[in-house]
Amino acid sequence: MADTKPPRAGADEKTTLLGFLDHLRSAVASKATGAPEPQVRTPGVPSGTSVLGLVKHLTVVERFYFLGEDTGDWAASMRPTSEETAEQLLADYRTAVEQANRVIEACPDLSLPIPHPPRPASAPTMRWVLAHMIEETGRHAGHADILREQIDGSTGR
């Protein structure tokens, strides 16, 4: 996942929303890239949140909204197992983002419901899901910033 810049001012709505989402996605991935083991998976706060936990969780959220996959256990989505490597979790995140972007790009009108609603009775619009994913990813990017700084002092993108 390349480090992306925010979209240019004046871009159309889909380009703007996807551009900001991709910018935040790359920020999250950069916080997990090169972080030392075992600290990258070790909770940095009493709630149990770790950098890799955030990557795993965001992978599940991408798949939930854009691909219609049910998680079964949201709490488990925040906890990497001892068998899951940083490289594997980052690769899974990148794959989920690529698949999600194909779904987004195929959407001709953001006011249409998402094509794979995660629950039979709920089909939010693509616009709503993009706005929600910007909020979700942005919030967790901030968490990852703080956790990575606690690990090795790394700041910035």
Side-chain angles (χ1 to χ4, degrees), residues 5-139:
K5 305 277 186 230
R8 63 176 172 74
D12 65 81
E13 183 183 22
K14 185 193 284 188
T15 301
T16 299
L17 293 172
L18 183 55
F20 275 107
L21 180 55
D22 278 341
H23 180 65
L24 292 167
R25 288 163 163 168
S26 70
V28 168
S30 74
K31 290 301 168 179
T33 302
E37 287 277 7
Q39 296 93 329
V40 71
R41 70 179 58 252
T42 303
V45 292
S47 67
T49 304
S50 70
V51 174
L52 282 185
L54 292 168
V55 171
K56 182 176 179 174
H57 174 70
L58 286 169
T59 302
V60 170
V61 175
E62 293 273 352
R63 289 179 176 150
F64 178 77
Y65 280 109
F66 295 113
L67 307 177
E69 295 179 15
D70 195 5
T71 81
D73 185 356
W74 283 105
S77 77
M78 292 290 288
R79 309 279 186 275
T81 67
S82 58
E83 294 81 31
E84 293 172 316
T85 66
E87 293 78 20
Q88 174 195 357
L89 289 170
L90 280 165
D92 289 348
Y93 184 53
R94 289 180 179 108
T95 299
V97 165
E98 289 170 9
Q99 292 170 335
N101 280 353
R102 283 195 291 274
V103 171
I104 296 164
E105 290 298 334
C107 180
D109 180 347
L110 298 182
S111 67
L112 293 173
I114 56 174
H116 310 287
R119 295 183 185 103
S122 70
T125 66
M126 182 62 77
R127 180 180 291 108
W128 185 92
V129 172
L130 285 168
H132 173 67
M133 288 302 297
I134 290 167
E135 178 274 331
E136 177 92 4
T137 307
R139 186 165 44 97

